[in-house]
């Protein structure tokens, strides 16, 4: 359309605007509107250049993992009213794209022996009236030069914040117990809260049930082989893994289990993301200001920027707790 208007502008003295518009199938009024907007085009082009720079910065800040929906949400969070179609066009023109995950393979392994029946108290209703009442969690593995690093999480369904997490070189039951203990020690879990998980052997074990009972937490499990019953935890890992494993040509992968954590789990990575952010979290919802209470039976040592040592004298079970 713009090229035809330019053609008319260049040849209107010779052939006339009306005749050229008839030949090219354009409205004469549309051409005059295009001419009237001539002075505004340089300003619009300059604003678009600034927007491209901002989009490129956000894309690089998140290691190339953010696509059109999340970059648009991030721009809205920063106070810019931008349509997602405009963001998609600019990203396409400048060769920017998010990371697409590979096809997921099932890794949940139900326990071999008899298990005490546990009801599904969530039933895919991933909402909560207040923080600390309904939690979900799961385990995933992250690649490092030293081998696999296993991560267990506890997610609050009200705020979508990661209120407890633990990392270790194994995926034994100790790992998920450490994540629950940390969430409880931080004061983010109320008594009689519900913790929902899949039917993996760690979450259906007697040790984990005892850890929940010790914290006065009720257990809830979904059906075997159904990722939708624990969709919130699965969605968080779908966000975490592209950001923790850089693209080819980028910086090296996480060099060691203890040296570096994925950028998404840094407690104060940026001013806009002071805590790990879930993809379904409402960007206008305020983050929790801090723990509501702290159970006296646990002790948290002074934290550094890379690791929070959770201890009852020392970090339990050799886990890397943050």
């Amino acid at each position: 359309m713009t090229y035809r208007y330019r053609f008319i502008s260049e040849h209107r003295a010779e052939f006339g605007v009306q005749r050229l518009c008839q030949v090219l199938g354009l409205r004469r009024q549309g051409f005059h509107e295009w001419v009237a907007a001539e002075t505004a085009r340089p300003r619009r082009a300059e604003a678009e250049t600034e927007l491209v720079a901002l989009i490129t910065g956000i894309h690089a800040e998140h290691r190339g993992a953010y696509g059109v929906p999340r970059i648009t949400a991030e721009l809205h969070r920063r106070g810019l009213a931008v349509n997602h179609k405009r963001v998609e066009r600019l990203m396409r023109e400048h060769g920017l794209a998010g990371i697409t995950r590979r096809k997921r393979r099932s890794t949940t392994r139900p326990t071999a022996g008899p298990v005490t029946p546990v009801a599904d108290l969530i039933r895919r209703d991933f909402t909560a009236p207040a923080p600390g009442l309904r939690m979900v969690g799961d385990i995933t593995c992250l690649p490092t030069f030293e081998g696999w690093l296993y991560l267990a999480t506890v997610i609050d369904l009200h705020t979508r914040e990661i209120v407890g997490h633990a990392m270790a070189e194994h995926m034994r039951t100790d790992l998920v117990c450490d994540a629950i203990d940390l969430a409880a020690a931080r004061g983010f879990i109320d008594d009689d809260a519900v913790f929902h998980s899949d039917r993996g052997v760690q979450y259906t074990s007697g040790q984990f049930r005892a850890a929940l009972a010790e914290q006065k937490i009720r257990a809830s499990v979904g059906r075997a082989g159904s990722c939708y019953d624990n969709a919130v935890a699965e969605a968080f890992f779908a966000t975490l893994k592209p950001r923790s494993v850089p693209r080819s040509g980028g910086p090296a992968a996480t060099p060691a289990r203890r040296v570096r954590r994925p950028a998404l789990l840094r407690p104060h990575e940026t001013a806009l993301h002071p805590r790990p952010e879930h993809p379904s979290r409402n960007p206008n919802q305020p983050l929790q200001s801090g723990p509501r209470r702290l159970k006296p039976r646990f002790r948290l040592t002074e934290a550094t920027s890379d690791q929070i040592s959770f201890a009852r004298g020392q970090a339990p079970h050799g886990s890397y707790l943050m």
Side-chain angles (χ1 to χ4, degrees), residues 55 59 63-68 71 88 90-92 94-100 247:
I55 291 174
H59 190 261
R63 298 186 178 184
Y66 272 22
V68 173
I71 287 184
E88 190 275 333
L90 294 176
M91 291 183 65
R92 183 180 66 251
H94 292 81
L96 300 176
I99 296 178
T100 303
R247 292 178 168 182

Side-chain angles (χ1 to χ4, degrees), residues 13-205:
E14 182 178 358
F15 299 103
V17 173
Q18 183 175 359
R19 184 178 179 184
L20 289 172
C21 288
Q22 290 176 348
V23 172
L24 296 176
L26 299 175
R27 296 184 307 113
R28 185 173 58 178
Q29 181 182 356
F31 169 74
H32 290 300
E33 292 174 351
W34 178 82
V35 173
E38 184 82 29
T39 57
R41 273 192 286 275
R43 294 195 302 271
R44 189 160 55 244
E46 183 179 354
E48 198 155 276
T49 301
E50 295 176 356
L51 180 59
V52 168
L54 187 56
I55 291 174
T56 304
I58 295 174
H59 190 261
E61 178 183 341
H62 296 280
R63 298 186 178 184
Y66 272 22
V68 173
R70 288 179 180 164
I71 287 184
T72 304
E74 180 65 25
L75 292 172
H76 291 170
R77 189 180 291 111
R78 299 188 183 189
L80 297 177
V82 183
N83 187 276
H84 70 278
K85 295 181 181 179
R86 186 181 183 188
V87 175
E88 190 275 333
R89 174 179 60 84
L90 294 176
M91 291 183 65
R92 183 180 66 251
E93 291 175 353
H94 292 81
L96 300 176
I99 296 178
T100 303
R101 281 178 43 78
R102 296 172 295 177
K103 184 178 179 180
R104 181 184 181 275
R105 65 172 185 266
S106 177
T107 56
T108 300
R109 300 178 182 177
T111 184
V115 179
T116 304
V118 176
D120 184 353
L121 304 178
I122 297 295
R123 293 186 174 274
R124 299 189 185 180
D125 178 16
F126 300 112
T127 60
L133 299 179
R134 290 157 67 91
M135 312 284 169
V136 297
D138 204 354
I139 302 176
T140 193
C141 53
L142 305 170
T144 73
F145 289 158
E146 297 178 350
W148 290 109
L149 179 63
Y150 297 96
L151 166 69
T153 59
V154 179
I155 303 174
D156 191 312
L157 287 180
H158 179 77
T159 63
R160 294 298 201 266
E161 294 181 37
I162 312 302
V163 296
H165 39 284
M167 301 180 79
E169 302 172 12
H170 59 80
M171 55 184 304
R172 296 190 294 270
T173 306
D174 295 335
L175 181 66
V176 295
C177 290
D178 292 342
I180 282 289
D181 286 348
L182 182 59
R186 286 173 168 173
F188 287 124
I189 300 182
D190 289 334
D191 292 338
D192 202 35
V194 174
F195 178 81
H196 181 80
S197 65
D198 56 28
R199 290 184 177 269
V201 293
Q202 298 87 355
Y203 292 109
T204 56
S205 65

